[in-house]
Amino acid sequence: MSAHRRGWVMATALVLHVSNVAADDADDVQSLLNESVVTTASTTAQKASSAPATSVTFTSDELRRYGLRSIAEAINFLSLGVITSDGLRTPDIGSRGVLLAQDDGKHFLLLVNGHAINDPLYGAARFDQGAGIPLDLVDRIEVIVGPGSVLYGSNAMLGVVNVITKNAKGYEGGHVYGDYELGRSYTAGAGAGFTFDLFGEASELTTSFEFYRRFGPDIAFENARTGLFFNDELARYRRGGPSDGVWGGTADDAYFTEAPSGMLRLRIGDFDIAVMASAYRRGIPYMTGSTNVDFDDAESYELDRSLRLDVQHQATLSSLLALSSRVYADHFDYQRRLNRDAVYGCYRDDFETCQYYDAGIARWIGVEERISFNWLGDLSLVTLLGVDARMRWVESKEEAVDFDSGRPFAPTTGQVDEAEGLISPYLQQTWSPTRFLEINGGARLDVDPRFDPIVSPRGALALSPFSQTTFKAVYSQAFRAPTFAETDSSSYQLVESEDIQPETARSLEGSVEQRFGAHRLLFGVFRTWWSNLIEARGLSPAEREQLQLEGKLPITAIQVSQYRNVASIENYGYNAVSSGTFLDSRLSYTLNATAAFTRRKARDGSTRQLEVAPQVFGNARLSYAFGGLLPTPSLAARYVGETPPTRVFDGTFSSVPYANPAAEFRATLSGPVPGLSGLSYRLSGAYITAKRGAYVVGPDSIPAGGNPAPLRQADLLPVDQFRAFVGLRYDFFGGEGEP
């Protein structure tokens, strides 16, 4: 059965399922109570069914109930149309059949209470513990599926994830919590929420601090022999190891993570002040085509650090006029250290280990003003005008040093030192002329001196001919500005880009949503056109020689790349949802399915699939709340269809196997500990059917010295198939009392 036929079967199953529950005659009030409210799509609270985008909301209760411990896990098991893929580095994230491998989250915008996280140097956002958000403080996560630049600007091509934290009422009292994942990781944290009066104003404080550490599991990689290196010798892939040309074995040191994070939020009257700080240090467990690192090296790592300040003020000037002001400041820095045997990693024999050290710093400050005109006083006709102005400073460098002495053995490269401003006015108009019709339109203009001004428009219409039926159509356009690392960085293997334009995505989608009391059915279709996709591409010998003649490249440079606009993407498909509750909302269920057709078209006319981008995927979940002291059992599952892995199209290997379809199941039991007030627990176990993931591991089959070697079949990343954890939580002084 083809991938798309399997997808249609999934959607048909949802339709048949809902037709069976339609006989459950619940009233309109019950339906309204079960509908989620979103704010991210238009910055004002509105029903998800009429919001100007496909949206999904999952709450802190769902995160706990289904044993989820990161944004990425929540997306995989709870979201519609969005998926992440774990390459044991940081999760890749995609939507509606488009996922760009090893992208660092550049095409998904991450917000915390509306504050943008993606940095201007790399465009990066993390969706695991590297997001820097204590998950215990999260109230809900809103996901906007598809292009969303109209209010937020760059990076929102695949979607927007807005993490909204709790207020003091929802986080009242003190909280201490922790969990232990057998043989793999642990988390420890504490938080508190209080209300009080300050300067005669009603005030509140919420804060949480969390530490996550991953220390396993051991990972068994297949041995790969690469053949002769140079001077008829075999390569060495372990420092101090034999020169046998063999890469692989058991990695028990390099797969680690340390991630402390903290957040403090103070509200005084109409002011809201938030401070966030985090660090994210993780190992580099395997070699890829672009990452040349010793096997299982505990001292090779990547490190993110961030410090963020956000100050907001809300002013209701009259019943018709409201003003929102925001001042923000962010610091983000990144380091990467790659250790490699000096002879085989950097062609040196005067010391033992060479280290490639990359570092980058991004700082930005900004002011955002929004004014809202509620023309008729009943929110039926609202105009939103806003402007976001910011200043950005970025620096980066790349060095090659002797690991033991720290002395450089080559000139510093990859140097970037830039300061640029950005101003972005935007407009949104909403109009509800009747009870059954809602119209939303808007546009944003981003003026950046590095490229021509770019406009991001959106238009949406929601029609509800019946109280429980909504038809929706949305057109939207989004963009991703080239990062400073893509435009300004240069080294021996990378030349500075001179003429690179923003990526753009245009999307058209339509959906119908039907409610049957406490049950909901949604079916939607989408079509997206991507252009100007930015990738690093190898230069031809003639291009390289010309740059060498111009003095832009050293004469010794051989393999040189440059970031360019190289391709477009064609993407269409559908989403389907069935959800609801039974038995006075004690039993809840949800099924989500997505199927897509996606092709990347290069400028030479060739087309192919996207690596690590499944075309069929979905999830399902079921839980029952007994109440009282009885535990709440839950089961969540997800499915990912056959997936092309990384490097499947680069021709380095004789063959690259596709990653097989996989199903993952997660069972969780949670509830209060009897006889101990305020103490609660979670027990959770997960199993995935796949043994290999969609990432090629190990060195190239053609050795760097260029000596003849037989091509070999690529090896795929081993998957950690079974995981389990136990968690405890203690709430005191009026705390939540839930696990």
Side-chain angles (χ1 to χ4, degrees), residues 196-252:
F196 51 93
D197 288 334
L198 184 64
F199 308 126
E201 298 280 359
S203 305
E204 63 177 60
L205 174 71
T206 54
T207 186
S208 182
F209 301 91
E210 187 172 284
F211 180 78
Y212 170 84
R213 180 172 183 265
R214 170 179 283 282
F215 51 85
D218 297 348
I219 305 172
F221 292 92
E222 297 288 339
N223 287 338
R225 184 178 295 276
T226 57
L228 298 176
F229 190 72
F230 65 90
N231 295 333
D232 294 331
E233 294 184 4
L234 296 173
R236 179 185 293 120
Y237 291 104
R238 291 176 183 265
R239 281 184 290 142
S243 298
D244 57 4
V246 175
W247 180 95
T250 299
D252 53 15

Side-chain angles (χ1 to χ4, degrees), residues 713-731:
Q713 179 171 304
D715 297 319
L716 297 185
L717 178 70
V719 170
D720 184 20
Q721 289 189 276
F722 178 77
R723 303 178 306 283
F725 78 86
V726 56
L728 289 174
R729 175 188 180 89
Y730 180 54
D731 300 300

Side-chain angles (χ1 to χ4, degrees), residues 154-397:
S154 181
N155 300 100
M157 293 186 70
L158 289 169
V160 180
V161 173
N162 190 10
V163 180
I164 300 169
T165 60
K166 296 174 181 175
N167 57 28
K169 183 178 179 181
Y171 202 55
E172 183 183 2
H175 318 278
V176 179
Y177 59 93
D179 58 55
Y180 178 77
E181 186 181 17
L182 302 179
R184 287 158 177 79
S185 69
Y186 65 81
T187 303
F194 303 99
T195 58
F196 51 93
D197 288 334
L198 184 64
F199 308 126
E201 298 280 359
S203 305
E204 63 177 60
L205 174 71
T206 54
T207 186
S208 182
F209 301 91
E210 187 172 284
F211 180 78
Y212 170 84
R213 180 172 183 265
R214 170 179 283 282
F215 51 85
D218 297 348
I219 305 172
F221 292 92
E222 297 288 339
N223 287 338
R225 184 178 295 276
T226 57
L228 298 176
F229 190 72
F230 65 90
N231 295 333
D232 294 331
E233 294 184 4
L234 296 173
R236 179 185 293 120
Y237 291 104
R238 291 176 183 265
R239 281 184 290 142
S243 298
D244 57 4
V246 175
W247 180 95
T250 299
D252 53 15
D253 293 323
Y255 186 33
F256 65 86
T257 300
E258 295 172 349
S261 62
M263 182 173 183
L264 185 148
R265 189 174 181 185
L266 174 65
R267 294 184 181 180
I268 306 173
D270 294 327
F271 283 91
D272 189 338
I273 305 167
V275 178
M276 295 175 56
S278 66
Y280 178 41
R281 183 175 182 268
R282 66 268 187 201
I284 305 172
Y286 61 89
M287 179 181 289
T288 69
S290 60
T291 304
N292 188 18
V293 63
D294 280 336
F295 182 78
D296 195 29
D297 183 68
E299 295 178 277
S300 295
Y301 64 86
E302 294 178 282
L303 172 64
D304 298 343
R305 295 182 299 185
S306 67
L307 179 63
R308 310 185 191 277
L309 171 67
D310 188 279
V311 180
Q312 298 183 60
H313 180 261
Q314 307 290 335
T316 301
L317 305 180
S318 72
S319 61
L320 306 180
L321 190 63
L323 178 66
S324 172
S325 304
R326 164 177 267 150
V327 178
Y328 55 90
D330 292 73
H331 170 96
F332 171 82
D333 65 72
Y334 168 82
Q335 299 177 42
R336 183 175 72 167
R337 298 180 184 271
L338 297 176
N339 296 322
R340 187 73 177 93
D341 181 273
V343 174
Y344 304 97
C346 50
Y347 306 99
R348 304 282 297 203
D349 58 7
D350 52 336
F351 52 86
E352 293 185 356
T353 302
C354 60
Q355 181 180 91
Y356 293 97
Y357 172 67
D358 302 342
I361 297 175
R363 303 181 184 93
W364 63 103
I365 62 174
V367 177
E368 184 175 11
E369 294 287 341
R370 291 176 179 169
I371 188 166
S372 177
F373 300 90
N374 180 15
W375 298 108
L376 304 180
D378 58 0
L379 300 178
S380 63
L381 184 65
V382 178
T383 302
L384 176 70
L385 292 172
V387 61
D388 184 6
R390 70 183 67 174
M391 190 68 192
R392 302 157 296 171
W393 297 267
V394 297
E395 301 176 48
S396 70
K397 66 176 182 177

Side-chain angles (χ1 to χ4, degrees), residues 664-676:
E664 184 174 4
F665 304 91
R666 183 181 297 258
T668 305
L669 198 66
S670 59
V673 176
L676 296 173

Side-chain angles (χ1 to χ4, degrees), residues 6-28:
R6 286 196 297 269
W8 282 112
V9 168
M10 293 171 70
T12 303
L14 296 184
V15 174
L16 292 176
H17 174 74
V18 172
S19 66
N20 290 332
V21 303
D24 186 359
D25 186 20
D27 57 23
D28 291 354

Side-chain angles (χ1 to χ4, degrees), residues 552-582:
K552 297 180 180 179
L553 277 176
I555 197 67
T556 55
I558 300 176
Q559 296 179 336
V560 182
S561 298
Q562 184 181 51
Y563 282 102
R564 295 179 174 178
N565 299 114
V566 299
S568 59
I569 296 176
E570 178 186 15
N571 168 238
Y572 58 85
Y574 65 83
N575 294 310
V577 181
S578 174
S579 63
T581 62
F582 293 99

Side-chain angles (χ1 to χ4, degrees), residues 442-459:
R444 176 179 172 121
L445 175 66
D446 282 86
V447 182
D448 189 319
R450 299 186 302 136
F451 48 83
D452 294 335
I454 189 166
V455 178
S456 303
R458 179 179 68 193

